[in-house]
Amino acid sequence: MPASAKRANAPSAELLEKLFRTAYKIRVFETEGIKLYRQGLIRGYFHPYLGQEGIATGVCAALSEGDIIASTHRGHGHCIAWGADVKKMVAELLQKESGYCRGYGGSMHIADISKGNLGANGIVGAGTPLGVGAALANQIKGNDAVTVTFSSDGGSNNGTFLESLNLAAIWNLSYVLVIENNHYAVSTRIEDSTREPDLYKRGLAIGVESHQVDGNDPLAVYHLMRDAVQKCREGKGPILIEAKTFRHMGHHVNDPGKYMPEKELAHYKERDPVDRARNALTEMTGIDKSQIDAIEEAIRKEFDDAVEFSKASREITLAEFQQFIDSY
Amino acid sequence: MTREIMYRDALREAIDEEMAANPLVFIIGEGIAERGGSYKVTEGLLGKYGPKRVRDTPIAEAGMIGVGVGAAIAGARPIVEILYVDFAMLGMDMLVNQAAKFRLMTGGNGRVPFIMRTQGGTGGGVAAQHSQSLEAMFYHVPGLKVVIPSQPADAKGLLKYALRQQDPVIFLEHKHLYMTKGPVPEGELVIEFGKADIKRPGKDVTIIAWSNMVPRALEAAAKLAEEGIEAEVLDPRTLVPLDKEAILASVAKTNRVVIVQEAVRRGGVASDICSIIQEEAFYSLDAPVEIVAGLNIPVPFNLELEKASVPQVPDIIAAARRTLHLQPRALAAQ
Ligand SMILES: Cc1ncc(C[n+]2csc(CCOP(=O)(O)OP(=O)(O)O)c2C)c(N)n1
Ligand SMILES: [Mg+2]
């Protein structure tokens, strides 16, 4: 590629910084959130997004206001990349009234409908039909918004995957289905769940433009997604993206993940998406270490403040709950 | 000889013994083989019976339940393990329109000896999509047997019976019960469906409860005994078929009834049992039948609200006292 063409396609410093900030913020949220869980401050389920940060980061950076996302049980990263308020997320995990769902939902149900986040979901695969439905609504409303469902290797084996993607295809919806293929559904490997572990091929079978990308490379995810979004806005959707990745630990906080082969884990850890976002930023912009440190410091402080805020928040009262009860 | 073992171990014994006795028994589910299942019920079975009869599946509940029903129609004895009863909703067509209907539609020629094992109930903040008690959904559909054991011995004996009879069985476990212990006799233990069990005898009030509400009812009964009230705790163990005779016999003795269910109140099994009692035992009642049930609401994540959503021991005690006119109805917290 001639140097000029390379420059024209070169990511802006602003974009690179945004990608790093997002990926790092997710990393801090999950790492510190696990500590809160171990202290007994968070109950129920907590599925860390550690190791997969590159996907939410790259995908959401290519979206605009008015677009819509639907997420999974492993949804903290999607929320953060979508621009969620970390305070309200932590408060929700701590079952506080100031949380996104006022403590009614918890980790698996954080949503922000007014901002186009249809929410995490406790039912594997459920985000696909919901997302396609949102895309249908946008088509009927006549706007050019794009809807993205974050799904998973496990979710792609649920029957609604085929049913809903097929509907998106025959109706030419402005929809992107992102399969985060982290190779495992709890302890079951993707190779034990399907004969064809390259999941993007499923889209090809029903006439959907489909791609595969290294999910640990936030910039590569961003570029692919940017093109996908543009095609959707031109009425050439839907598009399927399979992003290959790997968890850094077990399925949830209490799963030691012993079934994950050490060598494979090491392979992916060497391709850590947060490190790659940081390296891309330093190498392509020449930003110095003190500036990186300042960014990291600010993000950690934002999280600490969120914890303080959440601890100081109250829980919903039984009297307030009564109003809800009466309405059902 | 009787030993104390855990509910999950009792379930495993039942599956193990029936797999050893009948080569047509097999089990499929998510993470049940190598990992031994989320509740360790199937631990060790893969090593013993091999990958042909102990199989992991993808996350495909509609498909899993469907192939289970098909295998049963074709003469095998499948056990399909569904992680949460909430996820069984993905397979409702196969349960409601296929498994439940097949026997009658074929004029009695076809049988569906299919078992879906799953678990429900609230437990530690797993929120609205992982906390439901959905027995009424299955209870409502003629053709399905609904089994809901509260103690290890019942779990074992009923599962063994399920594996020997010929109809589709919805086998409902509870996430809080897997680690509870109870006496289970050594050797053969088979418990027929439709036989209630008196978990504690008493003469003053009958408390009908199932699943995780049985330990709560027993706790309430122990507290009531301190006040001199002898509550009888009756566990139907299977909701379909329902042991009406045992219920009516107990009501004839105590003349007072409290029915406790963790499931939401509206359209619940408790309401149906209540209607049976008022129809067939109206003149032996000394007080209105009390129902203590979950609120008509999805279960909230917040632990205090979760607790407020389902019956607790004091709710059961208060209801029992109301039937004895020791506590005015107006003050009933429900
Ligand atoms: C319909 C349904 N079945 C089963 C589960 C239980 N479950 C929760 S997460 C999970 C594994 C999901 O794996 P995958 O879809 O690949 O997502 P990942 O955890 O890898 O992000 C399972 C089986 C569920 N939540 N919903
Ligand atoms: Mg996965």
Side-chain angles (χ1 to χ4, degrees), chain A residues 45 47-49 52 72-74 108 121-126 151-158 180-188 190 247 251-252, chain B residues 30-31 35 38 58-61 64 82-84 86-88 90 129-130:
Chain A
Y45 278 119
H47 303 95
Y49 197 60
Q52 303 182 201
T72 66
H73 57 285
R74 199 176 298 288
M108 278 189 299
N121 210 304
I123 303 298
V124 171
S151 187
S152 49
D153 48 286
S156 69
N157 285 318
N158 184 301
E180 303 193 24
N181 185 352
N182 64 7
H183 298 76
Y184 283 97
V186 192
S187 63
T188 303
I190 185 62
R247 300 186 308 241
H251 171 63
H252 54 66
Chain B
E30 293 165 20
R35 194 161 59 94
S38 290
I59 305 170
E61 284 78 7
M64 292 154 69
I82 298 292
L83 284 173
Y84 285 78
D86 314 64
F87 313 157
L90 282 81
Q129 295 172 334
H130 290 70

Coordinates of all heavy atoms in Angstrom, one line a residue, chain A residues 45 47-49 52 72-74 108 121-126 151-158 180-188 190 247 251-252, chain B residues 30-31 35 38 58-61 64 82-84 86-88 90 129-130, ligand 1:
Chain A
Y45 N -25.1 -13.5 40.1 CA -24.1 -13.8 39.1 C -23.3 -12.7 38.7 O -23.7 -11.5 38.7 CB -24.9 -14.4 37.8 CG -25.2 -15.8 37.9 CD1 -26.6 -16.2 37.9 CD2 -24.2 -16.8 38.1 CE1 -26.9 -17.6 38.0 CE2 -24.6 -18.1 38.2 CZ -25.9 -18.5 38.1 OH -26.2 -19.8 38.2
H47 N -20.5 -12.3 35.4 CA -19.8 -12.9 34.4 C -18.8 -11.9 33.8 O -19.2 -11.0 33.1 CB -20.7 -13.4 33.2 CG -21.8 -14.3 33.7 ND1 -23.0 -13.9 34.0 CD2 -21.8 -15.7 33.8 CE1 -23.8 -15.0 34.3 NE2 -23.0 -16.0 34.2
P48 N -17.5 -12.0 34.1 CA -16.5 -11.0 33.7 C -16.3 -11.0 32.2 O -16.3 -12.1 31.6 CB -15.2 -11.4 34.5 CG -15.6 -12.4 35.5 CD -16.9 -13.1 34.9
Y49 N -16.0 -9.8 31.7 CA -15.7 -9.6 30.3 C -14.2 -9.6 30.0 O -13.8 -9.3 28.9 CB -16.4 -8.3 29.8 CG -16.6 -8.1 28.4 CD1 -17.4 -9.0 27.6 CD2 -16.0 -7.0 27.7 CE1 -17.6 -8.8 26.2 CE2 -16.3 -6.8 26.3 CZ -17.0 -7.7 25.6 OH -17.2 -7.5 24.3
Q52 N -12.1 -10.0 26.6 CA -13.0 -9.8 25.4 C -13.2 -8.3 25.1 O -14.0 -7.9 24.3 CB -14.3 -10.5 25.6 CG -14.2 -12.0 25.9 CD -15.5 -12.8 26.0 OE1 -15.4 -13.8 26.6 NE2 -16.6 -12.3 25.5
T72 N -25.7 -9.5 26.4 CA -25.7 -10.8 26.9 C -25.6 -10.9 28.4 O -25.6 -9.8 29.1 CB -24.5 -11.6 26.4 OG1 -23.3 -11.1 27.0 CG2 -24.4 -11.5 24.9
H73 N -25.5 -12.1 29.0 CA -25.3 -12.2 30.4 C -23.9 -11.7 30.8 O -23.6 -11.4 31.9 CB -25.4 -13.7 30.8 CG -24.4 -14.6 30.0 ND1 -24.7 -14.9 28.7 CD2 -23.2 -15.1 30.3 CE1 -23.7 -15.6 28.2 NE2 -22.8 -15.8 29.2
R74 N -23.0 -11.6 29.8 CA -21.6 -11.1 30.0 C -21.6 -9.7 29.5 O -20.9 -9.3 28.6 CB -20.6 -12.0 29.3 CG -19.2 -11.9 29.8 CD -18.3 -12.8 29.0 NE -18.7 -14.2 29.2 CZ -18.5 -14.9 30.3 NH1 -17.9 -14.3 31.3 NH2 -18.9 -16.2 30.4
M108 N -27.0 -9.2 35.4 CA -27.5 -9.8 34.1 C -28.6 -9.0 33.5 O -29.1 -9.4 32.4 CB -28.0 -11.2 34.4 CG -26.9 -12.2 34.4 SD -27.6 -13.9 34.5 CE -28.5 -13.9 36.0
N121 N -28.9 -9.9 29.3 CA -30.0 -10.8 29.3 C -29.6 -12.1 30.0 O -28.5 -12.6 29.7 CB -30.4 -11.1 27.8 CG -31.9 -11.4 27.8 OD1 -32.3 -12.4 28.5 ND2 -32.7 -10.7 27.0
G122 N -30.4 -12.6 30.8 CA -30.1 -13.9 31.5 C -30.4 -15.1 30.7 O -30.1 -16.2 31.1
I123 N -31.0 -14.9 29.5 CA -31.4 -16.0 28.7 C -30.4 -16.0 27.5 O -30.5 -15.1 26.6 CB -32.9 -16.0 28.2 CG1 -33.8 -15.9 29.4 CG2 -33.2 -17.1 27.3 CD1 -33.8 -17.1 30.3
V124 N -29.6 -17.1 27.4 CA -28.6 -17.1 26.3 C -29.3 -17.1 25.0 O -30.2 -17.9 24.7 CB -27.7 -18.3 26.5 CG1 -26.8 -18.5 25.2 CG2 -26.8 -18.2 27.7
G125 N -28.9 -16.2 24.1 CA -29.5 -16.1 22.7 C -30.6 -15.2 22.6 O -31.0 -14.9 21.5
A126 N -31.2 -14.7 23.7 CA -32.4 -13.9 23.6 C -32.2 -12.6 23.0 O -33.1 -12.0 22.4 CB -33.1 -13.8 25.0
S151 N -23.9 -11.3 20.6 CA -24.3 -12.7 21.0 C -23.0 -13.5 21.3 O -21.9 -12.9 21.4 CB -25.1 -13.3 19.9 OG -25.6 -14.6 20.4
S152 N -23.1 -14.8 21.3 CA -22.0 -15.6 21.8 C -22.0 -16.9 21.0 O -22.9 -17.2 20.4 CB -22.2 -15.9 23.3 OG -23.5 -16.3 23.5
D153 N -20.9 -17.6 21.2 CA -20.8 -18.9 20.5 C -22.0 -19.8 21.0 O -22.7 -20.5 20.2 CB -19.5 -19.6 20.7 CG -19.0 -19.6 22.2 OD1 -18.6 -18.5 22.6 OD2 -19.1 -20.7 22.8
G154 N -22.2 -19.8 22.3 CA -23.3 -20.6 22.9 C -24.7 -20.1 22.3 O -25.5 -20.9 21.9
G155 N -24.8 -18.8 22.3 CA -26.1 -18.2 21.8 C -26.4 -18.6 20.3 O -27.6 -18.6 19.9
S156 N -25.3 -18.9 19.6 CA -25.6 -19.2 18.2 C -26.1 -20.6 18.0 O -26.5 -20.9 16.8 CB -24.3 -19.0 17.4 OG -23.4 -20.0 17.7
N157 N -26.2 -21.4 19.0 CA -26.8 -22.7 18.9 C -28.2 -22.7 19.3 O -28.9 -23.8 19.2 CB -26.0 -23.7 19.7 CG -24.7 -24.0 19.0 OD1 -24.6 -24.2 17.8 ND2 -23.6 -24.1 19.7
N158 N -28.7 -21.6 19.8 CA -30.1 -21.5 20.1 C -30.9 -21.3 18.9 O -30.5 -20.6 18.0 CB -30.3 -20.3 21.1 CG -31.7 -20.2 21.6 OD1 -32.6 -20.0 20.8 ND2 -31.8 -20.2 22.9
E180 N -19.5 -13.2 19.7 CA -18.3 -13.2 20.4 C -17.9 -14.7 20.6 O -18.5 -15.3 21.5 CB -18.4 -12.4 21.7 CG -18.8 -11.0 21.5 CD -18.7 -10.2 22.8 OE1 -17.9 -10.5 23.7 OE2 -19.4 -9.1 22.9
N181 N -17.1 -15.2 19.8 CA -16.7 -16.6 19.9 C -15.5 -16.7 20.8 O -14.4 -16.7 20.4 CB -16.4 -17.2 18.5 CG -16.2 -18.7 18.6 OD1 -16.1 -19.3 19.7 ND2 -16.1 -19.3 17.4
N182 N -15.8 -17.0 22.1 CA -14.7 -17.1 23.1 C -14.5 -18.6 23.3 O -13.8 -19.0 24.3 CB -15.1 -16.4 24.4 CG -16.3 -17.0 25.1 OD1 -16.8 -18.0 24.7 ND2 -16.7 -16.3 26.2
H183 N -15.0 -19.4 22.4 CA -14.7 -20.9 22.4 C -15.4 -21.7 23.5 O -15.3 -22.9 23.4 CB -13.2 -21.1 22.4 CG -12.4 -20.6 21.3 ND1 -12.1 -19.2 21.2 CD2 -11.9 -21.1 20.1 CE1 -11.5 -19.0 20.1 NE2 -11.3 -20.1 19.4
Y184 N -16.0 -21.1 24.4 CA -16.6 -21.9 25.5 C -18.0 -21.4 25.8 O -18.3 -20.2 25.8 CB -15.8 -21.8 26.8 CG -14.6 -22.6 26.8 CD1 -13.3 -22.1 26.5 CD2 -14.6 -24.0 27.1 CE1 -12.2 -22.8 26.5 CE2 -13.5 -24.8 27.1 CZ -12.3 -24.2 26.8 OH -11.2 -25.0 26.8
A185 N -18.9 -22.3 26.1 CA -20.2 -22.1 26.8 C -20.0 -22.8 28.1 O -20.0 -24.0 28.2 CB -21.3 -22.6 26.0
V186 N -19.8 -22.0 29.2 CA -19.4 -22.6 30.4 C -18.1 -23.4 30.1 O -17.1 -22.9 29.7 CB -20.5 -23.3 31.2 CG1 -20.0 -23.6 32.7 CG2 -21.7 -22.4 31.3
S187 N -18.2 -24.8 30.3 CA -17.1 -25.6 30.1 C -17.1 -26.4 28.8 O -16.2 -27.1 28.4 CB -16.9 -26.6 31.2 OG -18.1 -27.5 31.2
T188 N -18.2 -26.1 28.0 CA -18.3 -26.9 26.7 C -17.7 -26.1 25.6 O -18.0 -25.0 25.3 CB -19.8 -27.1 26.4 OG1 -20.4 -27.8 27.5 CG2 -20.0 -27.9 25.2
I190 N -16.6 -25.0 21.8 CA -17.4 -24.8 20.6 C -17.2 -26.0 19.7 O -18.2 -26.4 19.0 CB -17.0 -23.4 19.9 CG1 -17.9 -23.1 18.7 CG2 -15.5 -23.4 19.5 CD1 -19.3 -23.0 19.0
R247 N -11.8 -15.9 27.0 CA -11.9 -15.4 28.4 C -10.6 -15.5 29.1 O -9.8 -16.4 28.9 CB -13.0 -16.2 29.2 CG -14.4 -16.2 28.7 CD -15.3 -16.9 29.7 NE -14.8 -18.2 30.2 CZ -15.4 -19.3 30.1 NH1 -16.6 -19.4 29.5 NH2 -14.9 -20.4 30.6
H251 N -16.0 -19.1 33.6 CA -17.3 -18.6 33.1 C -17.9 -17.4 34.0 O -18.4 -16.4 33.5 CB -18.3 -19.7 33.0 CG -19.7 -19.3 32.7 ND1 -20.0 -18.7 31.5 CD2 -20.8 -19.4 33.4 CE1 -21.3 -18.5 31.5 NE2 -21.8 -18.9 32.7
H252 N -17.9 -17.6 35.3 CA -18.3 -16.6 36.2 C -17.3 -16.5 37.3 O -16.3 -17.3 37.4 CB -19.7 -16.7 36.7 CG -20.0 -18.1 37.3 ND1 -19.4 -18.5 38.5 CD2 -20.8 -19.1 36.9 CE1 -19.9 -19.7 38.8 NE2 -20.7 -20.1 37.9
Chain B
E30 N -26.7 -29.6 29.6 CA -25.6 -28.6 29.4 C -24.5 -28.9 30.5 O -24.9 -28.7 31.7 CB -26.1 -27.2 29.4 CG -26.9 -26.9 28.2 CD -27.8 -25.6 28.2 OE1 -27.4 -24.8 29.0 OE2 -28.8 -25.5 27.5
G31 N -23.3 -29.3 30.1 CA -22.3 -29.4 31.1 C -22.5 -30.6 32.1 O -22.0 -30.5 33.2
R35 N -18.2 -32.2 33.3 CA -18.3 -31.3 34.5 C -19.2 -31.8 35.6 O -19.2 -31.3 36.7 CB -18.8 -29.9 34.0 CG -18.6 -28.8 35.0 CD -18.6 -27.4 34.3 NE -19.9 -27.2 33.7 CZ -21.0 -26.6 34.2 NH1 -20.9 -26.1 35.4 NH2 -22.1 -26.5 33.5
S38 N -24.2 -28.5 36.8 CA -24.1 -27.4 37.7 C -24.3 -27.7 39.1 O -23.8 -27.0 40.0 CB -25.0 -26.3 37.2 OG -24.6 -25.7 36.0
P58 N -25.2 -28.5 23.2 CA -25.1 -27.1 23.1 C -26.3 -26.4 23.8 O -27.1 -27.1 24.4 CB -25.3 -26.8 21.6 CG -25.1 -28.2 20.9 CD -25.5 -29.2 21.9
I59 N -26.3 -25.1 23.9 CA -27.3 -24.3 24.5 C -28.5 -24.3 23.6 O -28.6 -23.4 22.8 CB -26.9 -22.9 24.9 CG1 -25.6 -23.0 25.8 CG2 -28.0 -22.2 25.7 CD1 -24.9 -21.7 26.0
A60 N -29.4 -25.3 23.7 CA -30.4 -25.4 22.7 C -31.6 -26.1 23.3 O -31.9 -27.3 23.0 CB -29.9 -26.2 21.5
E61 N -32.3 -25.5 24.2 CA -33.3 -26.1 25.0 C -34.4 -26.7 24.2 O -34.9 -27.8 24.5 CB -33.8 -25.1 26.1 CG -32.8 -24.9 27.3 CD -31.7 -24.0 27.0 OE1 -31.7 -23.4 25.9 OE2 -30.8 -23.9 27.8
M64 N -33.1 -29.8 22.7 CA -32.8 -30.9 23.6 C -34.1 -31.5 24.1 O -34.2 -32.8 24.2 CB -32.1 -30.3 24.9 CG -30.8 -29.7 24.7 SD -30.4 -28.4 25.9 CE -30.3 -29.4 27.4
I82 N -32.4 -29.6 32.3 CA -32.5 -28.2 32.0 C -32.0 -27.4 33.2 O -32.5 -27.6 34.3 CB -33.9 -27.8 31.6 CG1 -34.4 -28.6 30.3 CG2 -34.0 -26.3 31.3 CD1 -33.7 -28.3 29.0
L83 N -31.0 -26.6 33.0 CA -30.3 -25.9 34.1 C -31.3 -25.2 35.0 O -31.1 -25.2 36.2 CB -29.3 -24.9 33.5 CG -28.0 -25.5 33.0 CD1 -27.2 -24.4 32.3 CD2 -27.2 -26.2 34.1
Y84 N -32.2 -24.4 34.5 CA -33.2 -23.7 35.2 C -34.5 -23.9 34.6 O -34.7 -23.9 33.4 CB -32.9 -22.2 35.2 CG -31.7 -21.7 36.0 CD1 -30.4 -21.9 35.6 CD2 -31.9 -21.1 37.3 CE1 -29.3 -21.5 36.4 CE2 -30.8 -20.7 38.1 CZ -29.5 -20.9 37.6 OH -28.5 -20.5 38.4
D86 N -36.7 -21.8 34.3 CA -36.9 -20.7 33.4 C -36.6 -21.0 32.0 O -37.2 -20.5 31.0 CB -36.0 -19.5 33.9 CG -36.1 -19.3 35.4 OD1 -35.6 -20.3 36.2 OD2 -36.6 -18.3 35.9
F87 N -35.5 -21.8 31.8 CA -35.1 -22.1 30.4 C -35.9 -23.2 29.7 O -35.9 -23.3 28.5 CB -33.6 -22.5 30.3 CG -32.6 -21.7 31.1 CD1 -31.4 -22.2 31.6 CD2 -32.9 -20.3 31.4 CE1 -30.5 -21.4 32.3 CE2 -32.1 -19.6 32.1 CZ -30.9 -20.1 32.6
A88 N -36.7 -23.9 30.5 CA -37.6 -24.9 30.0 C -38.7 -24.2 29.1 O -39.3 -24.8 28.3 CB -38.3 -25.7 31.1
L90 N -38.2 -22.3 26.8 CA -37.8 -22.4 25.4 C -38.3 -23.6 24.7 O -38.3 -23.7 23.5 CB -36.3 -22.3 25.2 CG -35.7 -20.9 25.4 CD1 -35.5 -20.5 26.9 CD2 -34.3 -20.8 24.7
Q129 N -35.0 -13.9 35.9 CA -35.0 -15.0 34.9 C -34.4 -16.3 35.4 O -34.2 -17.2 34.6 CB -34.3 -14.5 33.6 CG -35.0 -13.3 32.9 CD -34.1 -12.8 31.7 OE1 -32.9 -12.9 31.7 NE2 -34.8 -12.2 30.8
H130 N -34.0 -16.3 36.6 CA -33.4 -17.5 37.2 C -34.0 -17.9 38.5 O -33.3 -18.6 39.3 CB -31.9 -17.3 37.4 CG -31.0 -17.2 36.1 ND1 -31.1 -16.2 35.2 CD2 -30.1 -18.1 35.6 CE1 -30.3 -16.4 34.2 NE2 -29.7 -17.5 34.4
Ligands
LIG1 C1 -31.4 -20.4 27.5 C2 -30.3 -20.5 28.5 N1 -29.8 -21.7 28.6 C3 -28.8 -21.9 29.5 C4 -28.3 -20.8 30.3 C5 -27.2 -21.0 31.3 N2 -26.0 -20.4 30.8 C6 -25.7 -19.1 31.2 S1 -24.3 -18.6 30.4 C7 -24.1 -20.1 29.7 C8 -23.0 -20.3 28.7 C9 -23.0 -19.3 27.7 O1 -21.9 -19.5 26.8 P1 -21.9 -18.5 25.6 O2 -23.2 -18.3 25.0 O3 -20.8 -19.0 24.6 O4 -21.5 -17.1 26.2 P2 -20.2 -16.8 27.1 O5 -20.5 -17.2 28.5 O6 -19.1 -17.6 26.6 O7 -20.0 -15.3 27.0 C10 -25.1 -21.0 30.0 C11 -25.2 -22.3 29.5 C12 -29.0 -19.6 30.1 N3 -28.6 -18.5 30.8 N4 -29.9 -19.5 29.2

